[in-house]
Amino acid sequence: LRVLGITTRSLHLFGLAPDGRMWVQKRSMTKPNNPGQWDTLMGGMVSAADSLPQALARETWEEAGLRVQALAGLAHGGHVTFSRPSREGAGAGFMRERIDWFWAQVPQGMAPNNQDGEVEQFALLPPDEVRERVAQGQFTPEAGLVIAGWSGA
């Protein structure tokens, strides 16, 4: 779809520790887009066959090994729209996407554990450090947008 410029839908999940730090992931170097960059706790696609809750549950398990039912205070935070050239289709693609973002608290003693090989590592960072890394270009553009939306920037 991105090769054709057709709008896709994705979602992101902010995972907050009880002390306010944020769980973030470093994308695998084998990812086709933004390999090795930092991202929210989970970011994934919503298929045409999925409802938003179905995609959120599936992607949260695949990327972070967490069940949404075990997270505290799960809430929809909003959405952003995003457009940019894409490397897909030998660089001929154009990405148009609606990104819905959610946030929840990851309970004390629970930690993400990648299930699908798409994550190199997880880190627990203070929000100020996350914003600093976004400003330095260490996060994917999509994550930067949703982090700005979450921060109220």
Side-chain angles (χ1 to χ4, degrees):
L1 294 175
R2 289 179 177 163
V3 174
L4 302 173
I6 296 171
T7 301
T8 56
R9 193 162 186 198
S10 68
L11 46 78
H12 280 257
L13 175 64
F14 290 95
L16 303 174
D19 64 6
R21 291 180 297 164
M22 293 177 65
W23 281 105
V24 294
Q25 61 157 287
K26 188 170 188 181
R27 294 165 63 89
S28 167
M29 292 304 291
T30 61
K31 293 284 286 183
N33 288 312
N34 308 305
Q37 285 195 293
W38 289 94
D39 210 334
T40 57
L41 172 62
M42 179 281 294
M45 300 300 295
V46 180
S47 78
D50 282 336
S51 68
L52 211 50
Q54 287 170 325
L56 180 65
R58 182 191 68 248
E59 292 291 339
T60 300
W61 173 254
E62 288 176 1
E63 288 202 4
L66 299 171
R67 300 286 185 200
V68 292
Q69 302 88 336
L71 303 175
L74 179 66
H76 184 261
H79 75 272
V80 295
T81 55
F82 183 73
S83 300
R84 71 170 169 87
S86 172
R87 291 189 301 176
E88 294 179 46
F94 194 81
M95 180 177 169
R96 298 177 197 274
E97 198 154 75
R98 176 191 163 117
I99 306 168
D100 284 271
W101 56 272
F102 296 79
W103 64 274
Q105 187 177 96
V106 178
Q108 187 71 32
M110 190 179 289
N113 180 24
N114 181 247
Q115 304 296 306
D116 64 5
E118 294 185 0
V119 177
E120 186 174 307
Q121 72 180 67
F122 290 96
L124 193 53
L125 303 176
D128 287 344
E129 185 174 342
V130 171
R131 285 189 285 275
E132 183 178 313
R133 289 183 184 205
V134 168
Q136 294 170 352
Q138 295 181 30
F139 274 76
T140 68
E142 297 89 337
L145 273 177
V146 295
I147 289 167
W150 176 79
S151 299

